[in-house]
Amino acid sequence: MTERVTCDLLRRQLVVFEKDGVFLHTSAKRQQDQDSLIPGVIRIIEKTSDVVVQWMPVNEIGDAPQIVYSKKESPGNVVCRAEEDLYDPGYEPDWAVISTVGTRARASEEIPAPAVKAGPRGKWAFSLSLSELKSIRKNKPGLGWSYLIFMTKDGVSIQALHFHHGGTRALLKALSKYVILATSPKDSRLYLVYSHDSYALSHSFDELQLFDDNSSHLVSRFLQDPYSATFGSFSKVTNFFRGALKPHDGSQQRPLSEMAMGLEDEPGFEVITCQANLGDRPSVQRQLAVTEQEWEKHVDADGRVSGVEDLKKRIFTGGLSPGLRKDVWKFLLGYYPWESTSEERKVLLRRKTDEYFRMKLQWKSVSEDQEKRNSLLRGYRSLIERDVSRTDRNNKFYEGSSNPGLVLLNDVLTTYCMFNFDLGYVQGMSDLLSPILYVMQNEVDAFWCFCAFMELVHHNFEESQEGMKRQLLQLGLLLHVLDPALCDFLDAKESGTLCFCFRWLLIWFKREFSFPDVLQLWEVLWTGLPGPNFHLLVACGILDSEREALMSSDYGFNEILKHINELTMRMSVEDVLCRAEALHQQLTACQELPLNVQEVLGLAKVKSPTHSTESDGSPQPLSPSQTQELELTDSVSPSQPDSSIEILPTEDTATPQSLSP
């Protein structure tokens, strides 16, 4: 009888977390193969002497699976690559649902699977003790569905689990109650796993290089008061979760209010929250456009433009009359210096014309035989030809099959490849050139104005996508301050990364507004007023106008994306600009604006990162949350000023490499 009770106790287990809609993608074929998508449920189970994470297949229910794609095929096993291969598992396609299936398990190792119903899918089930878990890897930014890969201490990884209905953040938050998670210094998408015992904690601190002091000396302090011990030893912390460890019995945890007060006194450490009182939003009205008569009042007899700052303010608040754009855009873009005379501009134009046609002749003189041996030029020309054929074809300037406007568009873009070899041509540039060529009606003027525009936005097209990542992070930072409730809603719908804003920022809303509205929007943005990154506030203005439509619905990730895409050509640029300017005035009037927000708006100088042992490369610890104040954040921002931020974007920052049509 005693033995039977003992066996029952040993078998007793408690499910503390459960999430369905978690799929294994077992086929690399581009087809909807039922065997390639295995639906399942993931659980965290507390057993008598252990805690395990378990995945088991279930009968497929719900929506039909979407297309599965993988660059590599390999035999279907639960165990896959070793850790050195895990840093880049080959997940490259944009906006695709992808997975790789592992190679083979080590011959002497087997991962035990729980008992499941007999069937071909049962072999994919697994149960992994948290004591054997070494790391967790999340998906590459830019995917519609999130996935996680579990790595064991033996150096093998469990088959990637794809969360079709979201839930990666909730799972990681649940896991953080049992283990310590820390972002790897080598890869921001890799979380290292450590246990709570003092030896492991000390070892992890040494390995992660979190502290200047001796780690073993700090462990006891950390266990007694994790807040002060941790924050007192960091010079830079961006994503630390308060409530890192449970204190020993008899020790009382300091209240959060006390900790916030104590942290403000730490030298070199600043706590920034999103609880700033913004006050009432002012009402903004657009003014009439600058007329030709008004412009002439600013031009003297020699052709110099006077009162430039006042003129820029007028352009910002009202835009330009269509007849002025051909001349004034050259000044706004820096092609013509404001202080230049009419004669100086004529000399400049002759020189720029010669320079343009010299570069154009370089690619025009390339023979067919040469081009066959120049794959880079051949690739650029092919991509340009494809994009030109579908750029603004409903505009009379570009419509028809033999329109001279298309020829000019092609020639200017190809010549730009000769001007900027490093960047070349990237999809989306044709959208930026088209309005400029339409206004200038001259390929030389259009080319140099386009070059000046590209100086402003070239980072949008760099292969690393660091510029786009930074802008999406800055946009999320602004939105967290302006509308925390909307951010919470988007986070709950797996849309907190603002990936649907990618195209807005990439080509400056070119496809979101009508052609005449784009002309007005760009000349307003080219003034540089009221400060840097005003285009981010334009994005905030659009989201603000759609706030009620989004939050009053039961939209999920796909529905939000669809709703945003359907805004194309349905928005008023006047209304959006009024909202954006009002948001800027509301933020600048706030006396409690976080430092990072001030830097985004140009209200404070951006601090250069200090070269200390804790700065670059130091991972950020993630630990069990004992409060509801902070949500788990997966994104790591670029180098931040010396401050702690509690309002960073969440989940995966979407950075697709190509432009969505």
Side-chain angles (χ1 to χ4, degrees), residues 25 70-72 74 80-81 89-91 98-102 159-160:
H25 295 189
S70 175
K71 293 179 69 176
K72 303 175 183 178
S74 54
C80 53
R81 266 185 298 280
Y91 291 8
I98 49 183
S99 91
T100 54
V101 181
Q159 174 68 31

Side-chain angles (χ1 to χ4, degrees), residues 19 42 66 108 123 236 285 411 536 555-556 612 623-624 649:
K19 177 66 180 176
I42 191 168
Q66 299 184 21
S108 60
K123 65 180 181 180
K236 285 187 177 182
Q285 298 293 327
D411 289 358
L536 298 181
Y555 287 165
S612 62
S623 49

